Amino acid sequence: MLVDTFGRTATDLRVSLTDRCNLRCTYCMPPEGLDWLPKPELLTDDEVARLVRLGVERLGITEVRYTGGEPLLRRGIADIVRRTAALEPRPQVSLTTNGIGLERLAGPLADAGLDRVNVSLDSLDRAVFKRLAHRDRLPDVLAGLAAARAAGLVPVKVNAVLMRGINEREAVPLLRFCLDNGYQLRFIEQMPLDAQHGWTRDGMLTADEILAMLGAEFALEPDGPAERGSAPAETFLVDGGPARVGVIGSVTRPFCGACDRVRLTADGQVRNCLFATEESNLRDAMRAGATDDELAERWRAAVRSKRAGHGIDDPSFLQPARPMSAIGG
Ligand code: SAM
Ligand code: SF4
């Protein structure tokens, strides 16, 4: 098992399949994009499959989420999903995507064994979407969402990040849209993980502010006990339920104490936290001929050294060198 010195066990593996993307969300990367990782540095499909197998068969991983960058840009994605879903014990297999290309891929991915998707959508206003993501792709995202639902990748979850002065008015329309279409909406507080280091506390809409905006239009009632376990989202029943909305207060309501996640970057580095400043290089070890036992031991050691929390509120907080798109959100 992957246990750290605070007694937390990592069972949820997030795998970045590429650092590339076809959007340029302001909170993630600059309009001109980034210097993408050179192909030889990326794990091959077989290398991804080997590390995921190790995680599931030997290290207690029960949930595998593919992300990026934009994971649908990875040509081998359906095959990677198929190989993951064939593992024993079978993990839950999910995907976080911006939805572009999902219209075509939702069916094949569901057939390959994908269980669920999270689609990121920050605005329903085409002009606002374009301003935020620097690409005029809202219709593709909406088509992708509908295709995911039709393919049975349910519940379809929608992730939204609100930025002051850009899309802060979108909270209510996004919730109405998700209620109308049977999608589960979750708002995520903006974190200091953008490549251009443009995050400011004032620019971020806090969980409290988001709940106040929603509360003015909908009746919100906490869903279940106050204890949210390892689930980062605090969920609320909307207008008496059964529909729900979630708010992930990554900055103002951190859930580090119950974190069960570990990450594998597209170039084969294990990270024990989004905000980790150190990584463990499984790719080079693997390419130098490491055995499964040796790789598993490296992975365990990387998780063992996980810190208690991300410390965004601490004056000594340091933003990690890698941006979110290279870590895998
Ligand atoms: N490209 C895919 C997508 O957008 O869903 C997957 C990768 S993206 C990095 C994963 C999630 O991280 C998205 O829901 C995105 O909104 C979120 N995200 C990116 N940068 C963020 C930031 N600075 N703060 C909070 N969430 C962020
Ligand atoms: Fe691309 Fe996702 Fe980052 Fe937006 S959040 S730029 S879609 S990786």
Side-chain angles (χ1 to χ4, degrees):
M1 300 291 262
L2 296 167
V3 185
D4 68 35
T5 55
F6 298 93
R8 294 169 297 192
T9 305
T11 53
D12 178 344
L13 172 62
R14 314 253 149 161
V15 183
S16 172
L17 291 179
T18 175
D19 60 330
R20 290 170 187 261
C21 194
N22 39 17
L23 294 183
R24 299 285 185 269
C25 306
T26 307
Y27 50 72
C28 186
M29 60 171 85
E32 65 275 16
L34 298 166
D35 291 332
W36 312 124
L37 289 165
K39 184 131 194 257
E41 292 188 16
L42 297 182
L43 296 181
T44 63
D45 291 1
D46 285 345
E47 288 172 334
V48 170
R50 178 174 177 200
L51 292 179
V52 171
R53 176 182 58 74
L54 256 180
V56 170
E57 290 183 351
R58 297 196 176 203
L59 297 170
I61 294 297
T62 55
E63 180 161 0
V64 180
R65 172 172 295 274
Y66 290 108
T67 177
E70 178 42 50
L72 297 184
L73 294 178
R74 175 103 183 200
R75 217 173 295 149
I77 181 145
D79 195 48
I80 291 173
V81 165
R82 184 172 300 106
R83 291 164 82 171
T84 310
L87 292 171
E88 289 287 339
R90 186 195 190 288
Q92 284 289 302
V93 191
S94 57
L95 180 74
T96 300
T97 169
N98 63 27
I100 298 173
L102 198 54
E103 185 179 19
R104 180 174 57 85
L105 285 167
L109 286 171
D111 291 346
L114 188 70
D115 295 306
R116 283 191 317 275
V117 282
N118 285 36
V119 178
S120 303
L121 174 64
D122 305 314
S123 175
L124 290 162
D125 178 314
R126 197 159 168 171
V128 174
F129 183 100
K130 187 174 169 204
R131 182 168 163 227
L132 196 151
H134 296 98
R135 299 284 186 274
D136 187 18
R137 305 297 297 268
L138 176 63
D140 304 77
V141 180
L142 299 181
L145 273 166
R149 188 184 51 198
L153 297 171
V154 290
V156 175
K157 293 192 180 172
V158 171
N159 293 349
V161 176
L162 298 180
M163 299 180 77
R164 204 179 301 286
I166 299 184
N167 66 335
E168 62 185 301
R169 297 214 180 96
E170 297 290 313
V172 168
L174 278 168
L175 182 50
R176 272 199 216 296
F177 167 79
C178 288
L179 294 176
D180 288 348
N181 288 281
Y183 307 142
Q184 276 185 22
L185 176 62
R186 300 122 39 95
F187 291 96
I188 308 173
E189 279 180 350
Q190 187 194 352
M191 295 177 278
L193 283 170
D194 56 312
Q196 60 278 41
H197 290 225
W199 181 91
T200 62
R201 180 168 286 273
D202 292 344
M204 168 190 87
L205 270 101
T206 64
D208 284 347
E209 289 176 287
I210 295 165
L211 288 170
M213 287 190 290
L214 298 177
E217 295 285 327
F218 303 94
L220 301 181
E221 185 189 321
D223 176 28
E227 187 58 61
R228 51 186 160 142
S230 67
E234 290 175 73
T235 52
F236 299 84
L237 291 174
V238 182
D239 291 339
R244 293 172 173 78
V245 65
V247 179
I248 304 181
S250 330
V251 177
T252 64
R253 303 175 180 196
F255 41 90
C256 304
C259 177
D260 62 358
R261 296 177 181 183
V262 61
R263 292 163 200 276
L264 181 65
T265 65
D267 57 349
Q269 316 293 309
V270 166
R271 295 180 65 92
N272 57 28
C273 175
L274 264 180
F275 294 93
T277 46
E278 284 172 14
E279 304 180 332
S280 176
N281 191 336
L282 294 192
R283 179 200 63 200
D284 286 355
M286 185 162 47
R287 290 183 184 173
T291 63
D292 281 1
D293 280 345
E294 286 161 352
L295 291 171
E297 192 37 47
R298 265 180 188 254
W299 197 333
R300 279 191 207 99
V303 170
R304 220 175 284 133
S305 63
K306 179 161 166 156
R307 286 181 300 164
H310 56 48
I312 296 174
D313 272 329
D314 192 302
S316 66
F317 172 75
L318 269 186
Q319 183 168 339
R322 282 200 203 235
M324 179 77 129
S325 54
I327 296 169

Coordinates of all heavy atoms in Angstrom, one line a residue, residues 1-75:
M1 N 0.8 -1.2 0.0 CA 0.0 0.0 0.0 C 0.9 1.2 0.0 O 2.0 1.2 0.4 CB -0.9 0.0 1.2 CG -1.8 -1.2 1.3 SD -3.1 -1.1 0.1 CE -4.5 -0.4 1.0
L2 N 0.3 2.3 -0.4 CA 1.0 3.6 -0.5 C 0.6 4.4 0.7 O -0.4 5.1 0.7 CB 0.7 4.3 -1.8 CG 1.1 3.6 -3.1 CD1 0.4 4.2 -4.3 CD2 2.6 3.7 -3.2
V3 N 1.4 4.4 1.8 CA 1.0 5.0 3.0 C 2.0 6.1 3.4 O 3.2 5.9 3.1 CB 0.9 4.0 4.2 CG1 0.4 4.6 5.5 CG2 0.1 2.8 3.8
D4 N 1.5 7.2 3.9 CA 2.5 8.3 4.2 C 2.7 8.3 5.8 O 2.0 7.6 6.5 CB 2.1 9.6 3.6 CG 0.8 10.2 4.2 OD1 0.6 10.0 5.4 OD2 0.1 10.9 3.5
T5 N 3.5 9.2 6.2 CA 3.9 9.2 7.7 C 2.7 9.8 8.5 O 2.8 9.8 9.7 CB 5.2 10.0 7.9 OG1 5.0 11.3 7.4 CG2 6.4 9.3 7.3
F6 N 1.7 10.4 7.8 CA 0.5 10.9 8.6 C -0.6 9.9 8.6 O -1.7 10.2 9.0 CB 0.1 12.2 8.0 CG 1.1 13.3 8.1 CD1 2.0 13.5 7.0 CD2 1.3 14.0 9.2 CE1 3.0 14.4 7.1 CE2 2.3 15.0 9.3 CZ 3.2 15.2 8.2
G7 N -0.3 8.7 8.0 CA -1.3 7.6 8.1 C -2.3 7.6 6.9 O -3.2 6.8 6.9
R8 N -2.1 8.5 6.0 CA -3.0 8.5 4.8 C -2.6 7.5 3.8 O -1.4 7.3 3.6 CB -3.0 9.9 4.1 CG -3.5 11.0 5.0 CD -3.2 12.4 4.4 NE -1.7 12.6 4.3 CZ -1.2 13.8 4.0 NH1 -2.0 14.9 3.8 NH2 0.1 14.0 4.0
T9 N -3.6 6.9 3.1 CA -3.3 5.9 2.1 C -3.7 6.4 0.8 O -4.9 6.8 0.6 CB -4.0 4.6 2.5 OG1 -3.7 4.2 3.8 CG2 -3.6 3.4 1.5
A10 N -2.8 6.3 -0.2 CA -3.2 6.8 -1.5 C -3.8 5.6 -2.3 O -3.1 4.6 -2.5 CB -1.9 7.3 -2.2
T11 N -5.0 5.8 -2.8 CA -5.7 4.8 -3.5 C -6.2 5.3 -4.9 O -6.6 4.6 -5.7 CB -6.9 4.2 -2.8 OG1 -7.7 5.3 -2.4 CG2 -6.5 3.5 -1.5
D12 N -6.1 6.6 -5.0 CA -6.6 7.3 -6.2 C -5.4 7.9 -7.1 O -4.7 8.8 -6.6 CB -7.5 8.5 -5.7 CG -8.1 9.3 -6.8 OD1 -7.7 9.3 -7.9 OD2 -9.1 10.1 -6.4
L13 N -5.2 7.2 -8.2 CA -4.1 7.6 -9.0 C -4.5 8.5 -10.2 O -5.4 8.1 -10.9 CB -3.4 6.3 -9.6 CG -2.3 6.5 -10.7 CD1 -1.2 7.3 -10.1 CD2 -1.9 5.2 -11.2
R14 N -3.9 9.7 -10.3 CA -4.2 10.6 -11.4 C -3.0 10.5 -12.4 O -1.9 10.8 -12.0 CB -4.3 12.0 -10.9 CG -5.1 12.1 -9.7 CD -6.4 12.8 -10.0 NE -7.5 12.3 -9.2 CZ -8.6 12.9 -9.0 NH1 -8.8 14.0 -9.6 NH2 -9.5 12.4 -8.2
V15 N -3.3 10.1 -13.6 CA -2.2 10.0 -14.6 C -2.4 11.0 -15.7 O -3.4 11.1 -16.4 CB -2.3 8.6 -15.3 CG1 -1.2 8.4 -16.2 CG2 -2.3 7.5 -14.2
S16 N -1.4 11.8 -15.9 CA -1.4 12.8 -17.0 C -0.9 12.1 -18.2 O 0.2 11.5 -18.2 CB -0.5 14.0 -16.7 OG -0.4 14.8 -17.8
L17 N -1.7 12.2 -19.3 CA -1.3 11.5 -20.6 C -0.5 12.4 -21.5 O 0.1 11.9 -22.5 CB -2.5 10.8 -21.2 CG -3.1 9.7 -20.5 CD1 -4.3 9.2 -21.2 CD2 -2.1 8.6 -20.3
T18 N -0.6 13.7 -21.3 CA 0.1 14.6 -22.2 C 0.1 16.0 -21.5 O -0.9 16.3 -20.7 CB -0.6 14.8 -23.6 OG1 0.1 15.8 -24.3 CG2 -2.0 15.1 -23.5
D19 N 1.0 16.8 -21.7 CA 1.0 18.2 -21.2 C 0.4 19.2 -22.2 O 0.2 20.3 -22.0 CB 2.4 18.7 -20.7 CG 3.4 18.7 -21.9 OD1 3.2 17.8 -22.8 OD2 4.3 19.5 -21.8
R20 N 0.1 18.7 -23.4 CA -0.4 19.5 -24.5 C -1.9 19.8 -24.3 O -2.6 19.0 -23.7 CB -0.3 18.8 -25.9 CG 1.1 18.7 -26.3 CD 1.2 17.8 -27.5 NE 2.6 17.7 -27.8 CZ 3.3 18.4 -28.7 NH1 2.7 19.2 -29.5 NH2 4.6 18.2 -28.9
C21 N -2.3 20.9 -24.9 CA -3.7 21.2 -24.8 C -4.2 22.0 -26.0 O -3.4 22.7 -26.6 CB -4.1 22.0 -23.5 SG -5.8 22.0 -23.2
N22 N -5.5 21.9 -26.3 CA -6.1 22.7 -27.4 C -6.8 23.9 -26.9 O -7.5 24.6 -27.7 CB -7.0 21.8 -28.3 CG -7.7 20.8 -27.5 OD1 -7.9 20.9 -26.3 ND2 -8.3 19.8 -28.1
L23 N -6.9 24.1 -25.6 CA -7.4 25.3 -25.0 C -6.2 26.0 -24.3 O -5.2 25.5 -24.1 CB -8.5 25.1 -24.1 CG -9.8 24.5 -24.6 CD1 -10.9 24.4 -23.6 CD2 -10.4 25.4 -25.8
R24 N -6.5 27.3 -23.9 CA -5.5 28.0 -23.1 C -6.2 28.7 -22.0 O -6.2 29.9 -21.9 CB -4.9 29.1 -24.1 CG -4.2 28.6 -25.3 CD -2.8 28.0 -24.9 NE -2.1 27.6 -26.1 CZ -2.2 26.4 -26.7 NH1 -3.0 25.4 -26.1 NH2 -1.5 26.1 -27.8
C25 N -6.8 27.9 -21.1 CA -7.6 28.5 -20.0 C -6.7 29.5 -19.2 O -5.6 29.1 -18.8 CB -8.2 27.5 -19.1 SG -9.1 26.3 -20.0
T26 N -7.1 30.7 -19.0 CA -6.3 31.7 -18.3 C -5.7 31.2 -17.0 O -4.6 31.6 -16.7 CB -7.2 33.0 -18.0 OG1 -7.8 33.3 -19.3 CG2 -6.4 34.1 -17.5
Y27 N -6.5 30.4 -16.2 CA -6.0 30.0 -14.9 C -5.0 28.9 -15.0 O -4.5 28.4 -14.0 CB -7.2 29.6 -14.0 CG -8.1 28.6 -14.7 CD1 -7.8 27.3 -14.9 CD2 -9.4 29.1 -15.1 CE1 -8.7 26.4 -15.5 CE2 -10.3 28.2 -15.7 CZ -9.9 26.9 -15.9 OH -10.8 26.0 -16.5
C28 N -4.7 28.4 -16.2 CA -3.9 27.3 -16.4 C -2.6 27.6 -17.2 O -1.5 27.2 -16.8 CB -4.7 26.2 -17.1 SG -3.9 24.6 -17.3
M29 N -2.8 28.2 -18.4 CA -1.6 28.5 -19.2 C -1.7 29.8 -20.0 O -2.8 30.2 -20.2 CB -1.2 27.3 -20.1 CG -2.3 26.9 -21.1 SD -1.7 25.6 -22.2 CE -1.9 24.1 -21.3
P30 N -0.6 30.3 -20.5 CA -0.6 31.6 -21.2 C -1.2 31.3 -22.6 O -1.2 30.2 -23.2 CB 0.8 32.0 -21.3 CG 1.6 30.8 -21.1 CD 0.8 29.8 -20.3
P31 N -1.7 32.4 -23.3 CA -2.3 32.3 -24.6 C -1.4 31.7 -25.6 O -1.9 31.0 -26.5 CB -2.7 33.7 -25.0 CG -2.6 34.5 -23.7 CD -1.8 33.8 -22.8
E32 N -0.1 31.9 -25.5 CA 0.8 31.4 -26.5 C 1.1 29.9 -26.3 O 1.9 29.3 -27.0 CB 2.1 32.2 -26.6 CG 2.9 32.2 -25.3 CD 2.5 33.3 -24.3 OE1 1.3 33.8 -24.3 OE2 3.3 33.5 -23.4
G33 N 0.6 29.3 -25.2 CA 0.9 27.9 -24.9 C 2.3 27.8 -24.2 O 2.8 28.8 -23.7
L34 N 2.8 26.6 -24.1 CA 4.0 26.4 -23.3 C 5.0 25.6 -24.2 O 4.6 25.1 -25.2 CB 3.6 25.6 -22.0 CG 2.7 26.3 -21.0 CD1 2.2 25.3 -20.0 CD2 3.4 27.4 -20.4
D35 N 6.2 25.4 -23.7 CA 7.1 24.5 -24.4 C 6.7 23.1 -24.0 O 6.9 22.7 -22.8 CB 8.5 24.7 -23.9 CG 9.0 26.1 -24.4 OD1 8.6 26.5 -25.4 OD2 9.9 26.7 -23.7
W36 N 6.1 22.3 -24.9 CA 5.6 21.0 -24.6 C 6.8 20.1 -24.4 O 7.9 20.3 -24.9 CB 4.7 20.4 -25.7 CG 3.6 21.4 -26.2 CD1 3.5 21.8 -27.5 CD2 2.6 22.0 -25.4 NE1 2.4 22.6 -27.6 CE2 1.8 22.8 -26.3 CE3 2.2 22.0 -24.1 CZ2 0.7 23.6 -26.0 CZ3 1.1 22.8 -23.7 CH2 0.4 23.5 -24.6
L37 N 6.5 19.0 -23.6 CA 7.6 18.0 -23.4 C 7.9 17.3 -24.7 O 7.0 17.0 -25.5 CB 7.0 16.9 -22.4 CG 6.8 17.3 -20.9 CD1 5.9 16.3 -20.2 CD2 8.2 17.5 -20.2
P38 N 9.2 17.1 -25.0 CA 9.6 16.4 -26.2 C 9.1 14.9 -26.1 O 9.1 14.3 -25.0 CB 11.1 16.4 -26.2 CG 11.5 17.4 -25.1 CD 10.4 17.5 -24.2
K39 N 8.7 14.4 -27.2 CA 8.0 13.1 -27.2 C 8.9 12.0 -26.5 O 8.3 11.2 -25.8 CB 7.7 12.7 -28.7 CG 7.0 11.4 -28.8 CD 5.8 11.5 -29.7 CE 4.9 10.3 -29.6 NZ 5.0 9.3 -30.6
P40 N 10.2 11.9 -26.8 CA 11.0 10.9 -26.1 C 10.9 10.9 -24.6 O 11.1 9.9 -23.9 CB 12.4 11.1 -26.6 CG 12.3 12.0 -27.8 CD 11.0 12.8 -27.6
E41 N 10.6 12.1 -24.1 CA 10.5 12.1 -22.6 C 9.1 11.6 -22.1 O 9.0 11.3 -20.9 CB 10.6 13.6 -22.1 CG 12.1 14.1 -22.4 CD 12.3 15.4 -21.7 OE1 11.5 15.9 -20.9 OE2 13.3 16.0 -22.1
L42 N 8.1 11.5 -22.9 CA 6.8 11.0 -22.5 C 6.9 9.5 -22.3 O 7.5 8.8 -23.1 CB 5.8 11.4 -23.5 CG 5.5 12.8 -23.8 CD1 4.4 12.9 -24.9 CD2 5.1 13.6 -22.6
L43 N 6.1 9.0 -21.4 CA 5.9 7.6 -21.3 C 5.2 7.1 -22.5 O 4.3 7.8 -23.0 CB 5.0 7.3 -20.0 CG 5.6 7.6 -18.7 CD1 4.6 7.2 -17.6 CD2 6.9 7.0 -18.4
T44 N 5.6 5.9 -23.0 CA 4.9 5.3 -24.1 C 3.6 4.7 -23.5 O 3.5 4.5 -22.3 CB 5.7 4.2 -24.7 OG1 5.9 3.2 -23.7 CG2 7.1 4.7 -25.2
D45 N 2.7 4.2 -24.4 CA 1.5 3.6 -23.9 C 1.9 2.4 -23.1 O 1.2 2.1 -22.0 CB 0.6 3.1 -25.1 CG 0.0 4.3 -25.9 OD1 0.3 5.5 -25.5 OD2 -0.7 4.1 -26.8
D46 N 2.9 1.6 -23.5 CA 3.2 0.4 -22.7 C 3.8 0.8 -21.4 O 3.6 0.1 -20.4 CB 4.3 -0.4 -23.5 CG 3.7 -1.2 -24.7 OD1 2.4 -1.3 -24.7 OD2 4.4 -1.6 -25.6
E47 N 4.6 1.9 -21.3 CA 5.1 2.3 -20.0 C 4.0 2.8 -19.1 O 4.0 2.5 -17.9 CB 6.2 3.4 -20.2 CG 7.4 2.9 -20.9 CD 8.4 4.0 -21.3 OE1 8.0 5.1 -21.6 OE2 9.6 3.7 -21.3
V48 N 3.0 3.5 -19.6 CA 1.9 3.9 -18.8 C 1.2 2.7 -18.3 O 0.9 2.6 -17.1 CB 0.9 4.8 -19.6 CG1 -0.4 5.0 -18.8 CG2 1.5 6.1 -20.0
A49 N 0.9 1.7 -19.2 CA 0.2 0.5 -18.8 C 1.0 -0.3 -17.7 O 0.4 -0.8 -16.8 CB 0.0 -0.4 -20.0
R50 N 2.3 -0.3 -17.8 CA 3.1 -1.0 -16.8 C 2.9 -0.4 -15.4 O 2.7 -1.0 -14.4 CB 4.5 -1.1 -17.2 CG 5.4 -1.8 -16.2 CD 6.8 -2.1 -16.6 NE 7.6 -2.7 -15.6 CZ 8.9 -2.7 -15.5 NH1 9.6 -2.1 -16.5 NH2 9.5 -3.2 -14.5
L51 N 3.1 0.9 -15.4 CA 3.1 1.6 -14.1 C 1.7 1.6 -13.5 O 1.5 1.4 -12.3 CB 3.6 3.1 -14.2 CG 5.1 3.2 -14.6 CD1 5.5 4.7 -14.7 CD2 5.9 2.5 -13.5
V52 N 0.6 1.7 -14.3 CA -0.7 1.6 -13.8 C -1.0 0.2 -13.3 O -1.6 0.0 -12.2 CB -1.7 2.1 -14.9 CG1 -3.2 1.8 -14.4 CG2 -1.6 3.6 -15.2
R53 N -0.5 -0.8 -14.0 CA -0.7 -2.2 -13.5 C 0.0 -2.4 -12.2 O -0.6 -2.9 -11.2 CB -0.1 -3.2 -14.6 CG -0.2 -4.6 -14.1 CD 0.5 -5.6 -15.1 NE 1.9 -5.3 -15.4 CZ 2.9 -5.5 -14.6 NH1 2.7 -6.1 -13.4 NH2 4.1 -5.2 -15.0
L54 N 1.2 -1.9 -12.0 CA 1.9 -1.9 -10.8 C 1.1 -1.3 -9.6 O 0.9 -1.9 -8.6 CB 3.2 -1.2 -10.9 CG 4.5 -1.9 -11.0 CD1 5.6 -0.9 -11.1 CD2 4.7 -2.8 -9.8
G55 N 0.6 -0.1 -9.9 CA -0.2 0.6 -8.9 C -1.4 -0.2 -8.5 O -1.7 -0.3 -7.3
V56 N -2.1 -0.8 -9.5 CA -3.3 -1.5 -9.1 C -3.0 -2.9 -8.5 O -3.6 -3.2 -7.5 CB -4.2 -1.7 -10.4 CG1 -5.4 -2.6 -10.2 CG2 -4.7 -0.3 -10.9
E57 N -2.1 -3.6 -9.1 CA -1.9 -5.0 -8.6 C -1.1 -5.0 -7.3 O -1.3 -5.9 -6.5 CB -1.2 -5.8 -9.7 CG -2.0 -6.1 -10.9 CD -1.3 -6.9 -12.0 OE1 -0.1 -7.2 -11.8 OE2 -2.0 -7.4 -12.9
R58 N -0.2 -4.1 -7.1 CA 0.7 -4.2 -6.0 C 0.6 -3.1 -4.9 O 1.1 -3.3 -3.8 CB 2.2 -4.1 -6.4 CG 2.5 -5.3 -7.3 CD 4.0 -5.3 -7.4 NE 4.4 -6.4 -8.2 CZ 5.6 -6.9 -8.1 NH1 6.5 -6.5 -7.2 NH2 6.0 -8.0 -8.8
L59 N 0.0 -2.0 -5.3 CA 0.1 -0.8 -4.4 C -1.2 -0.3 -3.9 O -1.3 0.8 -3.3 CB 0.9 0.3 -5.1 CG 2.4 -0.1 -5.4 CD1 3.0 1.0 -6.3 CD2 3.2 -0.2 -4.1
G60 N -2.3 -1.0 -4.2 CA -3.6 -0.7 -3.6 C -4.4 0.4 -4.3 O -5.3 0.9 -3.8
I61 N -4.0 0.8 -5.6 CA -4.7 1.8 -6.3 C -6.1 1.2 -6.7 O -6.1 0.1 -7.3 CB -4.0 2.2 -7.5 CG1 -2.7 3.0 -7.1 CG2 -4.8 3.1 -8.5 CD1 -2.9 4.3 -6.4
T62 N -7.2 1.9 -6.4 CA -8.5 1.4 -6.8 C -9.2 2.3 -7.8 O -10.2 1.9 -8.3 CB -9.4 1.3 -5.5 OG1 -9.4 2.6 -4.9 CG2 -8.9 0.3 -4.5
E63 N -8.6 3.5 -8.0 CA -9.3 4.4 -8.9 C -8.2 5.0 -9.8 O -7.2 5.5 -9.3 CB -10.0 5.5 -8.2 CG -10.7 6.4 -9.1 CD -11.8 7.2 -8.4 OE1 -12.1 7.0 -7.3 OE2 -12.4 8.1 -9.2
V64 N -8.4 5.0 -11.1 CA -7.4 5.6 -12.0 C -8.1 6.6 -12.9 O -9.1 6.3 -13.5 CB -6.8 4.5 -13.0 CG1 -5.8 5.1 -13.9 CG2 -6.1 3.4 -12.2
R65 N -7.6 7.9 -12.8 CA -8.2 8.9 -13.6 C -7.1 9.4 -14.6 O -6.0 9.8 -14.2 CB -8.6 10.1 -12.6 CG -9.1 11.3 -13.4 CD -9.7 12.4 -12.4 NE -10.9 11.8 -11.8 CZ -12.1 11.9 -12.4 NH1 -12.2 12.5 -13.5 NH2 -13.1 11.4 -11.8
Y66 N -7.5 9.5 -15.8 CA -6.6 10.0 -16.9 C -6.9 11.5 -17.1 O -8.1 11.9 -17.1 CB -6.7 9.2 -18.1 CG -6.1 7.8 -18.0 CD1 -6.9 6.7 -17.9 CD2 -4.8 7.7 -17.8 CE1 -6.4 5.4 -17.7 CE2 -4.2 6.4 -17.6 CZ -5.0 5.3 -17.5 OH -4.5 4.1 -17.3
T67 N -5.8 12.3 -17.2 CA -6.0 13.7 -17.3 C -4.8 14.3 -18.1 O -4.1 13.6 -18.8 CB -6.1 14.3 -15.8 OG1 -6.2 15.7 -16.0 CG2 -5.0 13.9 -14.9
G68 N -4.5 15.6 -17.9 CA -3.5 16.2 -18.7 C -3.2 17.6 -18.2 O -3.5 17.9 -17.0
G69 N -2.8 18.5 -19.1 CA -3.1 18.6 -20.5 C -4.4 18.0 -20.9 O -5.3 17.8 -20.1
E70 N -4.6 17.9 -22.2 CA -5.9 17.4 -22.6 C -5.7 15.9 -23.0 O -5.1 15.6 -24.1 CB -6.4 18.2 -23.8 CG -7.7 17.7 -24.4 CD -8.7 17.3 -23.3 OE1 -9.0 18.0 -22.4 OE2 -9.2 16.2 -23.4
P71 N -6.2 15.0 -22.2 CA -6.0 13.6 -22.4 C -6.5 13.0 -23.7 O -6.0 12.1 -24.3 CB -6.6 12.9 -21.2 CG -7.6 13.9 -20.7 CD -7.1 15.2 -21.0
L72 N -7.6 13.7 -24.3 CA -8.2 13.2 -25.5 C -7.2 13.5 -26.7 O -7.4 12.9 -27.8 CB -9.5 13.8 -25.8 CG -10.6 13.5 -24.8 CD1 -11.9 14.1 -25.2 CD2 -10.7 12.0 -24.6
L73 N -6.2 14.3 -26.5 CA -5.2 14.5 -27.6 C -4.2 13.3 -27.7 O -3.4 13.2 -28.6 CB -4.4 15.7 -27.3 CG -5.1 17.1 -27.4 CD1 -4.2 18.2 -27.1 CD2 -5.8 17.2 -28.8
R74 N -4.3 12.4 -26.7 CA -3.4 11.2 -26.7 C -4.0 10.2 -27.6 O -5.1 9.6 -27.3 CB -3.2 10.7 -25.3 CG -2.4 9.5 -25.2 CD -1.0 9.7 -24.7 NE -0.2 8.5 -24.7 CZ 0.9 8.4 -24.0 NH1 1.3 9.3 -23.2 NH2 1.5 7.2 -24.0
R75 N -3.3 9.8 -28.7 CA -3.9 8.9 -29.7 C -4.2 7.6 -29.1 O -5.3 7.0 -29.4 CB -2.9 8.8 -30.8 CG -3.6 8.7 -32.1 CD -2.6 8.7 -33.3 NE -1.9 9.9 -33.4 CZ -0.7 10.0 -33.9 NH1 0.0 9.0 -34.3 NH2 -0.1 11.2 -34.0

